[in-house]
Amino acid sequence: MKLNISCATKIYPLEVDVEQLPNNINERHITSPQEDNTVNTSTTYAEKISTFGSLKHQICSLYSISPTALKIVHRGRILMGDDSTPLSSFNFKENDKLLILGKPPTTETDVGWKLLVDFERKHVADVSKTYAKNTNDLTQLEKNFLKDPERRGYIKVMDKRLKGYAENCMKLLETLDGLQINNDNTDGGQAQRNREKRKFLVDGLQDALNKNDKLMARLTDYLNRCQHPEDAL
């Protein structure tokens, strides 16, 4: 069955399946867009759309519409149902028109962008604050206000803190790498912004690790001077 999908000035004739798919169908054919306002998206049975979820997915892909903003109007009514709802339940007729309402994903509503912003809000400030505290405490330690055994005890505490900081940054890098920031509905421009945002966050964590390495080198040097004070003369 053919439905006419209308959004703005574009009309897509879209083949949908309102009956059970035949067995052993594995052909596929999609024609290229025509030059006028009508785009041919005819398919064979293997590509036909039979559920409400698959219909929404196809429409979002065609028009780059955010799934959360999508509304499909049929004969004056907004279609409702879960993704598994069969299209046969909507009583479509041949060449029925579906009016599409919605808007493309924006930076503010894009799921991937939100994941990155949430990550930044939850972790970046804490990483920066912890580094600043470690730097300050190490500087105070290097001033030799403490004497043994308190000094040696604090050196061990400082070593544990710096190693824990490095471990935390590595875990955050793994978490960041595992975030699903782009999907089939992410438009090209937003996908690029998401990749750039993640790279910015990755670079920040790697810079934090490099700075922490310098703190660990300072702590090692200070420990050596404490153990071999004659070498400092």
Side-chain angles (χ1 to χ4, degrees):
M1 175 185 294
K2 185 179 75 174
L3 298 176
N4 292 309
I5 313 299
S6 176
C7 182
T9 60
K10 293 290 185 180
I11 298 176
Y12 289 83
L14 185 67
E15 287 287 341
V16 299
D17 185 17
V18 295
E19 298 178 350
Q20 190 70 26
L21 283 175
N23 294 327
N24 301 322
I25 297 295
N26 56 14
E27 297 182 39
R28 176 176 179 175
H29 176 68
I30 301 179
T31 60
S32 59
Q34 299 174 353
E35 293 183 356
D36 58 15
N37 288 341
T38 301
V39 180
N40 193 331
T41 57
S42 61
T43 63
T44 60
Y45 271 109
E47 289 296 322
K48 283 184 179 178
I49 299 161
S50 59
T51 65
F52 192 41
S54 58
L55 176 64
K56 291 190 295 182
H57 177 78
Q58 181 69 8
I59 290 173
C60 288
S61 298
L62 289 172
Y63 291 106
S64 296
I65 291 176
S66 170
T68 58
L70 174 65
K71 289 183 174 60
I72 305 174
V73 180
H74 177 237
R75 298 179 185 175
R77 294 184 178 182
I78 296 176
L79 298 184
M80 304 293 291
D82 58 36
D83 287 351
S84 62
T85 301
L87 294 185
S88 57
S89 65
F90 295 117
N91 297 317
F92 291 138
K93 304 297 182 183
E94 185 73 23
N95 288 319
D96 266 359
K97 181 178 180 180
L98 301 183
L99 178 63
I100 307 306
L101 305 176
K103 58 184 179 180
T106 64
T107 297
E108 291 74 17
T109 61
D110 180 75
V111 174
W113 183 265
K114 283 186 174 182
L115 288 174
L116 293 167
V117 170
D118 286 344
F119 178 93
E120 184 177 31
R121 181 170 55 249
K122 291 177 181 178
H123 302 295
V124 171
D126 287 342
V127 168
S128 179
K129 289 178 181 178
T130 302
Y131 171 76
K133 178 173 175 53
N134 288 344
T135 301
N136 179 71
D137 290 351
L138 178 58
T139 299
Q140 295 302 314
L141 178 64
E142 290 170 327
K143 292 179 179 180
N144 283 323
F145 291 143
L146 296 177
K147 302 299 180 183
D148 290 336
E150 289 83 3
R151 180 175 61 181
R152 292 185 180 274
Y154 199 81
I155 289 174
K156 291 182 179 179
V157 171
M158 198 73 219
D159 181 69
K160 183 177 181 179
R161 282 169 53 182
L162 295 180
K163 289 178 179 177
Y165 180 86
E167 182 179 351
N168 182 56
C169 286
M170 291 300 298
K171 288 181 178 179
L172 290 177
L173 283 171
E174 292 177 3
T175 299
L176 193 54
D177 183 63
L179 293 180
Q180 187 66 37
I181 61 172
N182 293 321
N183 55 48
D184 293 340
N185 293 319
T186 308
D187 67 75
Q190 184 61 51
Q192 180 63 26
R193 286 190 289 273
N194 289 351
R195 286 190 291 268
E196 291 174 353
K197 180 69 170 179
R198 175 152 63 185
K199 184 178 185 304
F200 170 78
L201 295 173
V202 167
D203 289 346
L205 287 171
Q206 290 177 338
D207 182 61
L209 282 169
N210 291 335
K211 290 179 178 179
N212 189 67
D213 286 344
K214 294 179 180 179
L215 294 185
M216 294 185 71
R218 282 172 55 186
L219 182 64
T220 299
D221 181 66
Y222 179 71
L223 177 60
N224 288 335
R225 284 188 278 118
C226 291
Q227 293 175 336
H228 307 284
E230 67 279 4
D231 293 341
L233 298 178

